[in-house]
Amino acid sequence: MKRPDGSQRVVITGMGAVSPAGVGVDALWSAVKDGKCCIGPIERFDVEGYEVKNAAEVRGFDGTEHGLTKKEARRFERFVQYAIVAADEAISSSGLDMDSEDPTRVAVYFGTGIGGIDELQKGFDTLSEKGPKRVSPLFVPTMIGNIAAGNLAIRYGMKGSCMNAVTACATGAHNIGEAVRAIRHGYADVALVGGAEESVSPICIAGFANLGALSKSEDPTCASLPFDARREGFVAGEGAGALIIESLEHAKARGAKPIAEIVGYGTTGDAYHVTAPDPDGNGIALAMEQALAEGGFVPEDIGHLNAHGTGTPMNDKTEATALAILCGEDLARRIPVTSIKGSVGHTLGAAGALEAIVCALSVANGALTPTCGFAEADPEVPLSVVTEYTEGVPQKVALSTSLGFGGHNACLAISPVSDEL
């Protein structure tokens, strides 16, 4: 059950999600399958004076309806609450029983791109308006980004490595990938992995909008348009994706049923620009090549690419360039490409985890999901963008890519689990 080099195979045995589609993996999968747009007018704050009016919010979320106590819902920032609810689902679906585990062999790799931005803004307002003595003593442990991982470890008694890799919009994928390496090489048996974000806040929307990164479309259905010729920016989203991953050996020993296998992980840096991807595409192409090679696959084996696909002019063009570098122009034009961001927006630090969930379900079900919002092909982005949900498409391997401000690139290679196992 091990890899040819003697290292452990790593499988996904549980998944959980909180997304603009609602609470639960089923809600996410249904929205993406149906090409449903979960973007709408911002409700969390007054947008008067803002050029951007739409976002992908988790609407009507009440943590106490999903397993949190009133005290937890009052004290924990939204990104932590999203993380806990998603993790509860992932653990439940995996059947993991911590009472039967060596807790020092169970790790947590769970990140956030921004962290507790609401608490940060509230703290600054309190300091400015009421003075230093009125700032909450819980300000720091409520706001800091690693506190999601910390609270998850405390909640479940997971005493292995507890990490928070922060790589902006590649955070979710990097946390998964780093945990895969830890399990592959024997540092852990099981890991709770993923990412969470609460980016729909006044300061974030203002900052991203002034940067020119956000779509200013007033029509929510035309705001997030991955790979489309009309695209003009991304739509800020929020939520959390959580996965239980473990060695195949450990999963078999406890009778768990794997959903999919993470066969490869690639990670690179562009060393180019603080916000823009390197237009030559070499960085993300190399990460994709690394992920494929680690799994023992070649470009001709790719069943589909679950792309970062933000709907910004530069990102989408760069990903098309990278795929052509990896595969050659002819094959790159034929590989099915999809992005979930037309459905649920760009959830930043949670994006890589939510996309890994959708990618895993796609290969497990032999399916391709549509790219919501895509209608007009861009000649400068020569890709085969999926527009309809399609079943009966068995795949050897699929890739899920993530790119982050600062030039961070990550790629996960995900395969169906062999029937012989």
Side-chain angles (χ1 to χ4, degrees):
M1 288 192 291
K2 293 186 178 181
R3 290 160 49 85
D5 64 0
S7 63
Q8 296 286 349
R9 294 172 63 183
V10 181
V11 294
I12 302 167
T13 56
M15 304 189 297
V18 175
S19 74
V23 173
V25 169
D26 286 347
L28 171 66
W29 181 239
S30 293
V32 173
K33 276 175 53 179
D34 296 342
K36 178 183 177 182
C37 179
C38 302
I39 296 163
I42 294 172
E43 298 178 354
R44 188 157 292 123
F45 60 90
D46 185 356
V47 295
E48 184 176 356
Y50 287 76
E51 293 182 290
V52 171
K53 310 294 184 183
N54 294 305
E57 296 174 296
V58 179
R59 301 177 192 275
F61 178 83
D62 182 347
T64 62
E65 296 177 357
H66 302 286
L68 275 72
T69 66
K70 289 182 179 179
K71 182 179 179 180
E72 289 170 333
R74 185 173 65 252
R75 285 196 171 184
F76 294 161
E77 273 288 82
R78 282 187 292 126
F79 82 100
V80 175
Q81 295 187 46
Y82 296 156
I84 290 172
V85 173
D88 280 353
E89 181 186 15
I91 292 172
S92 176
S93 68
S94 75
L96 184 70
D97 179 8
M98 284 302 297
D99 289 338
S100 301
E101 298 293 331
D102 175 353
T104 67
R105 300 287 299 169
V106 183
V108 178
Y109 284 72
F110 212 98
T112 177
I114 297 173
I117 195 70
D118 287 352
E119 181 68 15
L120 186 66
Q121 184 165 340
K122 186 168 67 175
F124 280 128
D125 289 345
T126 299
L127 178 65
S128 176
E129 296 168 8
K130 300 179 180 180
K133 290 291 187 181
R134 297 296 296 276
V135 173
S136 169
L138 296 176
F139 169 72
V140 172
T142 300
M143 171 272 299
I144 51 178
N146 70 297
I147 211 65
N151 274 310
L152 292 173
I154 293 167
R155 185 177 184 85
Y156 310 117
M158 298 173 173
K159 297 183 179 182
S161 181
C162 185
M163 302 292 290
N164 166 36
V166 181
T167 51
C169 305
T171 292
H174 273 127
N175 279 277
I176 295 170
E178 293 302 312
V180 166
R181 287 182 173 173
I183 295 171
R184 198 180 295 296
H185 298 291
Y187 296 101
D189 297 323
V190 186
L192 169 59
V193 300
E197 205 72 90
E198 59 173 63
S199 59
V200 184
S201 69
I203 191 69
C204 280
I205 297 299
F208 279 130
N210 292 344
L211 182 63
L214 298 182
S215 169
K216 296 177 183 177
S217 172
E218 295 190 5
D219 181 353
T221 64
C222 294
S224 182
L225 304 173
F227 307 113
D228 194 285
R230 300 164 296 158
R231 69 191 187 281
E232 61 175 23
F234 73 82
V235 172
E238 59 180 0
L243 301 89
I244 293 295
I245 64 173
E246 54 192 297
S247 69
L248 177 60
E249 192 173 85
H250 185 273
K252 295 290 287 183
R254 69 180 188 88
K257 183 178 180 181
I259 298 165
E261 181 175 356
I262 303 177
V263 293
Y265 166 53
T267 177
T268 63
D270 282 345
Y272 173 75
H273 192 272
V274 293
T275 58
D278 189 342
D280 69 16
N282 286 322
I284 188 59
L286 179 57
M288 295 161 76
E289 180 184 345
Q290 290 172 349
L292 271 182
E294 186 172 288
F297 295 98
V298 295
E300 287 77 12
D301 295 325
I302 301 172
H304 82 280
L305 169 65
N306 189 313
H308 193 54
T310 59
T312 60
M314 293 184 69
N315 175 92
D316 295 6
K317 187 176 179 180
T318 298
E319 286 200 271
T321 300
L323 191 61
I325 293 170
L326 178 72
C327 302
E329 292 185 3
D330 183 59
L331 180 58
R333 286 187 172 93
R334 291 185 281 115
I335 291 173
V337 176
T338 187
S339 168
I340 73 170
K341 291 181 174 70
S343 290
V344 297
H346 188 357
T347 55
L348 307 179
L354 291 171
E355 287 155 5
I357 289 170
V358 171
C359 190
L361 289 173
S362 296
V363 298
N365 291 294
L368 300 174
T369 58
T371 300
C372 180
F374 178 83
E376 297 182 20
D378 182 348
E380 294 190 352
V381 184
L383 297 172
S384 179
V385 181
V386 181
T387 57
E388 294 183 359
Y389 178 68
T390 309
E391 293 183 330
V393 189
Q395 302 169 57
K396 290 182 178 179
V397 66
L399 299 180
S400 184
T401 51
S402 295
L403 288 67
F405 279 2
H408 307 285
N409 304 309
C411 181
L412 300 170
I414 301 175
S415 289
V417 180
S418 172
D419 291 336
E420 302 116 37
L421 299 178

